Amino acid sequence: MRAPMTLLWLSLLTATAAGETAPACWMPGDLAYHKGDERVQKAAARIAPPQRMLAAYSPTAQRGVIRRVKLTGDKKLVALTFDLCEQPSEISGYQGGIVDFLRTNGIKATFFMGGKWMLSHRERTQQLMSDPLFEVANHTWEHRNLRVVSGQALVDEIKNAQVAYEQVREELEATQCTGPRGNRLAHEQAPRRLSLLRFPYGACSAAALDEAAHQGLLPIQWDVSSGDPAFAQSARAIEHQVLANVQPGSIVLFHANGRGWHTDGALPGIVAALKARGYEFTTVSELLAAGEPVVSATCFDSRPGDTDRPRHPLPVATSPFGFGWLWHGVASPAATSAHTR
């Protein structure tokens, strides 16, 4: 018994010593928001996925999509989630002001990252994956509607995001530097593989659910949509939408890829109000561990069937930076509350 314990102790000492002597990956200014990072670029945007083998994994049982978590007792936990998606013909943005706010206030969050977004934002991806405040997850390769994609294209849309993450993590490991907090090597904070998946547009098919399970991923949706992809949705309206619908165990959907319109302005008020109500902020995985997942057999935004239109959502030219998103499924607070409760 003494020998294994001695080896464990030595390994911990070695890891600590490595963290103490390794250089920091980033200075505070490197982590902070840089003006213009949020802009969506529409030119020269094609990126090929890395050619590499995936880390070992085991399939999971297909049981639908998780919308929220039923908590026991008087727990008041909520998971704030932010999508970082990118389509084939663009380089989307990075709303670093949102991340700065979360870091400054110690707010845990989960970021669902597209594989292509990870490759076009390698350093930001590494900063997020190595920060213990945050959890990172799969948001498919190029944000295609998996309700209508099938065959090998469906397989690749999920798999290539995994491949991209593992490539970027390997590149971080090669630097042997410490992450945003503490003395731990940055890559050691990042999981070896992603375990959660979010379907683009809140849309999926039976085949997509099966493929997610086959690739060992747990599908996560939301029960509260902020409506922030709509440019006309003001910060005040986003704040009202979230606060009118959130409940213990909620998973809240935001965006931080340059299409979270007015999310920066809404977030401080949302966080302050939820704290005043006694809520604590957690990652999706921590939320799942705290209660019983509420599972839906199908994907939808705010009510069953609302993402089944052939082209949902439609890109519309309503924003200063090109395209926004017309989300058909954002319901009124009253309608959403009635559905989720």
Side-chain angles (χ1 to χ4, degrees):
M1 182 66 181
R2 178 176 293 180
M5 289 299 295
T6 300
L7 289 173
L8 175 61
W9 180 246
L10 287 173
S11 67
L12 291 173
L13 286 177
T14 301
T16 301
E20 290 174 347
T21 59
C25 298
W26 307 283
M27 294 296 101
D30 300 322
L31 295 169
Y33 162 68
H34 299 156
K35 185 176 180 180
D37 281 353
E38 72 281 2
R39 295 188 68 89
V40 178
Q41 305 171 50
K42 303 299 289 186
R46 293 286 175 174
I47 298 176
Q51 299 299 308
R52 57 178 291 141
M53 296 292 293
L54 282 171
Y57 67 90
S58 298
T60 61
Q62 201 273 77
R63 54 173 179 166
V65 292
I66 296 170
R67 296 193 59 80
R68 56 178 304 272
V69 174
K70 182 178 180 180
L71 302 174
T72 57
D74 57 357
K75 294 179 184 176
K76 298 186 79 172
L77 304 177
V78 61
L80 305 183
T81 70
F82 299 85
D83 286 1
L84 294 167
C85 38
E86 186 167 287
Q87 297 179 91
S89 60
E90 68 177 11
I91 302 296
S92 65
Y94 171 75
Q95 290 172 258
I98 291 172
V99 180
D100 289 352
F101 172 80
L102 296 172
R103 284 196 174 113
T104 299
N105 292 278
I107 306 298
K108 293 183 177 182
T110 299
F111 290 87
F112 287 87
M113 303 189 295
K116 182 170 170 288
W117 188 94
M118 296 182 219
L119 297 186
S120 63
H121 300 78
R122 276 176 155 84
E123 188 170 31
R124 293 305 193 181
T125 298
Q126 292 169 346
Q127 291 171 358
L128 293 173
M129 70 166 67
S130 60
D131 193 323
L133 263 183
F134 304 140
E135 175 179 40
V136 292
N138 184 322
H139 195 31
T140 73
W141 169 243
E142 291 180 323
H143 205 259
R144 301 180 189 276
N145 187 332
L146 297 195
R147 191 184 71 82
V148 296
V149 173
S150 61
Q152 189 61 43
L154 170 59
V155 174
D156 290 344
E157 188 67 13
I158 297 173
K159 182 189 72 175
N160 286 342
Q162 296 290 105
V163 169
Y165 171 81
E166 291 173 19
Q167 175 69 36
V168 174
R169 184 188 183 278
E170 184 178 277
E171 293 168 3
L172 179 61
E173 182 175 2
T175 66
Q176 290 293 296
C177 56
T178 57
R181 298 169 190 271
N183 59 7
R184 190 175 182 182
L185 291 175
H187 75 277
E188 293 176 347
Q189 179 61 44
R192 290 193 174 274
R193 70 181 306 271
L194 303 177
S195 59
L196 306 178
L197 167 72
R198 172 164 286 167
F199 291 113
Y201 315 124
C204 68
S205 63
L209 289 170
D210 287 340
E211 184 56 37
H214 177 73
Q215 294 197 35
L217 295 166
L218 197 60
I220 305 294
Q221 284 198 259
W222 56 84
D223 67 318
V224 180
S225 175
S226 67
D228 64 357
F231 181 66
Q233 186 92 323
S234 68
R236 184 182 295 271
I238 292 171
E239 185 175 340
H240 178 76
Q241 172 83 357
V242 172
L243 295 177
N245 291 282
V246 76
Q247 58 184 304
S250 279
I251 299 172
V252 186
L253 169 68
F254 297 98
H255 293 75
N257 67 328
R259 291 199 173 93
W261 305 114
H262 313 298
T263 307
D264 307 62
L267 202 56
I270 291 170
V271 167
L274 290 177
K275 282 184 175 181
R277 295 180 188 180
Y279 278 90
E280 296 180 25
F281 301 95
T282 185
T283 65
V284 170
S285 289
E286 290 172 342
L287 185 65
L288 293 174
E292 179 184 351
V294 177
V295 179
S296 169
T298 60
C299 294
F300 56 92
D301 178 24
S302 59
R303 58 175 63 84
D306 63 6
T307 61
D308 289 348
R309 295 174 176 84
R311 296 179 64 196
H312 174 89
L314 298 174
V316 291
T318 58
S319 74
F321 303 140
F323 287 90
W325 289 108
L326 176 60
W327 277 57
H328 302 296
V330 176
S332 66
T336 309
S337 296
H339 171 72
T340 56
R341 292 197 178 107

